[in-house]
Amino acid sequence: MNINIFDKIENNAVEKKYINNTAITQITTYNKIKTISYKELFELSTKVSQLLLKLGIKSKEKIYISSSDSINFITSFLGAIKVGIIPIPGNSELSKNHTLHILNDSAPSIVLSDNPLDKNQLKFPCSFYTNKTWKKLLSNIKTKKIKTTNVKNNQIAFLIYSSGTTGLPKAIVHQHEIITNTYFLHKNILKLQIKDKIFTTSKLFFAYALGNNFFAPLLIGLNTIFNDNLIENPNLTDIIKKLNPKAIFSVPTVYRRLLEDNKTNLKILSEVKYFISAGERIPDTLYIKWKNQVKSPLLNCYGTTETLAIVIATRPCDSKLGSTGKPIEAVKTKLINKNEQLSKTNGVLHIKHSTFSKSYFNNNIKTDKTFSKGWVRTGDIWSIKNKHWYYQGREDDLIKVAGKWVNPKEIENITSNINNILDSFCIAFNTKQGTLRLALFLHVDKIKKEKLIIKQVKTKIDSLPNYKKPYIIKIINQLPQTVTGKIKRNDLQKLI
């Protein structure tokens, strides 16, 4: 695709005659509803383009965008792309050290953020604007038509940094053609139509929301809804009742909280046609509870920051316990086993599509390890049974105990269907004697049955060889999590 992302989205809106339809619905910090049409979206984005040019920012320079205002984020992002400037989504919830690493690694010409910043720690010159100042500057711009920058196939459209759960964040390079793969799930599996509404609980600085709730819906004429209210865990039933989305995109933690919340109206949940879950595999207990209590399906899906799109998805009428479904038809897949050979049943997932990222920014070593001849090595282990795909953990999660390799997911899966266990997490730790052993953490419903639960777990794992048996089994009622709901396994070490 030799076309700018901005033009692709705008051309679709004009050709398919939905330019006056609602593009974005925003729940503001005052719990009020604000909407903008596709026409208004393009006009606001063009004002950003004009402002960037007025400030002297040139094509291929970068802008770091950290904004809790979804409309401001999206219009700033599209406005930059329109004139060939490279936007970088900024995660306001990252640590100061990680944020400084991202800024010094990417060296943007403009930093748009409300977080305080010590310019003395930056290794490059830049202009800094708060969101309030940025909006004020935009209000003084009179919209006029400007030409969209022509792009080449290998030209960087935007960078998106990983969350840095296993080290410093790394930047994934995406080109303009990336957006054409983002709507496979929405269009071909969920069968969403023009004017349909979708909602996400995730923030736009994450690839999950960027691909599925920014690019995909705007490409096919949907109304995408964002909650900018500062309430940390709002009950979704209120949003569903008010805005009536057809599909909701979230993570297992949010869905679990919904079922635990006494305020949740299960009848209203069933008014949503599809609930999409990604980020982590849906725990078996959650899957069963949801199926028993909510009429609408909870669909397990999988994607990566390198793909920006869902690449393995559960089909609405073909859901199985523990499975993430099947690969999207347009995506090529292969599994490579421990012997670095092709396998039909188990191995590390490699994926291929012409639109996927092909490199990391300023990181040749990681690029060479991950990308090869169009294939992306995900580092995720999968198994296939009866044509259904099952996530088995990360290859770098494999633990060598007593000279033998152990996949912690195997132990976690054994304990996942015991009553009152919401989820389980197996990690390695060093004993005082310096040997490596396994620790199993059980996230449970109620603490009062602690001894019984541990007894049931020990019975379940009794048939395992000794090196696979956890040295420590501990019950916890709170999980150390990232803002996306992923478990911080390194923080579990502190609980031993």
Side-chain angles (χ1 to χ4, degrees):
M1 184 187 87
N2 205 8
I3 185 171
N4 190 296
I5 287 174
F6 183 98
D7 277 358
K8 180 66 177 173
I9 294 173
E10 186 178 43
N11 290 349
N12 281 3
V14 172
E15 290 168 10
K16 297 179 182 179
K17 299 180 180 178
Y18 54 76
I19 195 162
N20 292 314
N21 292 358
T22 300
I24 300 169
T25 298
Q26 177 189 39
I27 305 169
T28 71
T29 52
Y30 304 106
N31 217 25
K32 293 181 180 178
I33 304 299
K34 180 180 178 180
T35 63
I36 61 169
S37 67
Y38 278 85
K39 185 179 179 181
E40 290 169 322
L41 169 66
F42 303 135
E43 288 173 352
L44 290 169
S45 300
T46 301
K47 284 180 100 176
V48 173
S49 303
Q50 291 174 244
L51 176 57
L52 288 168
L53 295 177
K54 185 179 179 181
L55 293 172
I57 310 302
K58 297 181 176 61
S59 177
K60 298 184 183 179
E61 291 186 39
K62 305 178 194 75
I63 176 173
Y64 177 87
I65 305 170
S66 176
S67 177
S68 58
D69 181 330
S70 298
I71 291 176
N72 184 51
F73 178 98
I74 291 172
T75 53
S76 296
F77 201 97
L78 284 178
I81 282 178
K82 180 177 175 69
V83 287
I85 293 163
I86 300 167
I88 304 164
N91 181 347
S92 59
E93 296 161 355
L94 278 183
S95 69
K96 184 180 177 181
N97 286 341
H98 278 183
T99 301
L100 282 171
H101 164 75
I102 289 171
L103 293 174
N104 284 319
D105 183 58
S106 59
S109 299
I110 286 183
V111 174
L112 177 59
S113 176
D114 292 328
N115 288 349
L117 187 68
D118 183 358
K119 288 190 177 182
N120 293 325
Q121 293 182 291
L122 298 179
K123 301 174 182 176
F124 61 97
C126 70
S127 299
F128 182 89
Y129 299 94
T130 64
N131 284 281
K132 185 177 180 180
T133 304
W134 187 251
K135 290 175 188 178
K136 188 174 181 180
L137 290 172
L138 284 170
S139 68
N140 295 324
I141 299 289
K142 292 183 179 179
T143 308
K144 66 177 182 180
K145 285 190 177 182
I146 60 171
K147 188 178 178 182
T148 301
T149 299
N150 292 326
V151 298
K152 297 178 181 177
N153 285 334
N154 61 349
Q155 188 169 327
I156 298 175
F158 60 93
L159 302 177
I160 181 167
Y161 277 80
S162 63
S163 56
T165 51
T166 57
L168 288 173
K170 59 183 180 295
I172 294 89
V173 175
H174 283 299
Q175 298 166 0
H176 287 261
E177 62 181 352
I178 184 68
I179 61 166
T180 58
N181 82 69
T182 56
Y183 58 81
F184 294 156
L185 171 73
H186 306 62
K187 194 172 182 180
N188 301 332
I189 294 176
L190 304 182
K191 308 292 183 185
L192 296 173
Q193 305 291 323
I194 291 171
K195 287 189 177 182
D196 280 344
K197 298 176 182 178
I198 65 171
F199 172 73
T200 180
T201 62
S202 297
K203 300 299 182 184
L204 280 162
F205 45 72
F206 294 117
Y208 182 28
L210 199 69
N212 291 289
N213 301 91
F214 176 173
F215 289 133
L218 296 183
L219 271 168
I220 59 175
L222 306 183
N223 174 2
T224 185
I225 305 167
F226 299 97
N227 182 18
D228 294 343
N229 198 315
L230 297 178
I231 299 173
E232 189 175 348
N233 297 310
N235 192 289
L236 286 185
T237 51
D238 296 334
I239 293 170
I240 294 166
K241 190 174 181 179
K242 187 179 289 186
L243 297 171
N244 193 30
K246 194 170 185 177
I248 287 179
F249 291 73
S250 193
V251 294
T253 301
V254 172
Y255 293 125
R256 176 178 57 77
R257 285 176 185 156
L258 261 181
L259 295 187
E260 292 173 352
D261 191 343
N262 293 329
K263 296 177 183 177
T264 298
N265 186 324
L266 296 176
K267 187 177 179 181
I268 288 178
L269 282 186
S270 298
E271 292 176 5
V272 177
K273 192 165 186 179
Y274 304 115
F275 289 89
I276 314 302
S277 183
E280 285 197 315
R281 186 183 75 87
I282 299 170
D284 291 350
T285 49
L286 173 58
Y287 176 91
I288 293 166
K289 281 184 178 181
W290 188 275
K291 195 171 183 180
N292 291 336
Q293 296 181 44
V294 185
K295 290 181 181 179
S296 305
L298 180 59
L299 306 178
N300 212 1
C301 295
Y302 166 86
T304 72
T305 310
E306 290 80 6
T307 67
L308 207 67
I310 297 298
V311 292
I312 300 177
T314 301
R315 275 55 174 180
C317 298
D318 191 21
S319 176
K320 288 188 181 295
L321 180 68
S323 169
T324 311
K326 301 170 186 175
I328 300 291
E329 284 76 6
V331 177
K332 292 182 180 179
T333 60
K334 64 181 179 182
L335 297 179
I336 304 296
N337 63 21
K338 293 178 184 178
N339 299 318
E340 291 297 318
Q341 294 178 337
L342 278 171
S343 172
K344 292 183 179 180
T345 57
N346 190 283
V348 176
L349 174 65
H350 292 61
I351 50 181
K352 187 176 186 179
H353 191 274
S354 62
T355 65
F356 292 165
S357 175
K358 297 168 181 64
S359 65
Y360 296 116
F361 185 72
N362 286 345
N363 198 331
N364 292 335
I365 294 174
K366 187 67 176 174
T367 292
D368 293 342
K369 185 180 178 181
T370 305
F371 304 96
S372 178
K373 298 178 181 179
W375 289 95
V376 181
R377 183 187 183 101
T378 66
D380 293 318
I381 302 170
W382 289 79
S383 64
I384 306 172
K385 186 178 180 182
N386 297 326
K387 296 183 179 180
H388 278 263
W389 288 58
Y390 296 82
Y391 179 70
Q392 303 295 337
R394 296 278 305 167
E395 64 175 328
D396 46 20
D397 286 341
L398 292 178
I399 303 164
K400 206 165 195 176
V401 179
K404 301 179 181 69
W405 288 108
V406 179
N407 185 347
K409 206 74 186 172
E410 179 187 353
I411 292 97
E412 293 169 3
N413 288 342
I414 290 171
T415 59
S416 63
N417 59 355
I418 295 173
N419 285 340
N420 295 311
I421 295 180
L422 299 171
D423 215 339
S424 55
F425 307 93
C426 185
I427 66 168
F429 75 100
N430 284 302
T431 65
K432 290 179 181 179
Q433 292 75 31
T435 56
L436 198 66
R437 292 290 181 263
L438 300 176
L440 181 64
F441 292 90
L442 307 171
H443 183 211
V444 301
D445 230 342
K446 295 176 182 178
I447 290 291
K448 64 181 182 181
K449 296 182 180 179
E450 183 173 333
K451 289 183 180 179
L452 175 61
I453 291 170
I454 290 177
K455 184 179 178 181
Q456 289 173 323
V457 168
K458 286 182 176 179
T459 301
K460 277 269 189 180
I461 63 177
D462 190 54
S463 60
L464 291 174
N466 286 332
Y467 71 92
K468 287 187 178 182
K469 291 179 181 176
Y471 189 75
I472 290 174
I473 299 175
K474 189 167 184 176
I475 284 179
I476 53 175
N477 59 3
Q478 282 191 325
L479 297 175
Q481 294 174 306
T482 66
V483 288
T484 55
K486 290 185 178 181
I487 306 305
K488 295 180 179 178
R489 289 179 180 261
N490 290 342
D491 283 7
L492 291 174
Q493 293 274 358
K494 302 170 186 176
L495 303 177
I496 295 174

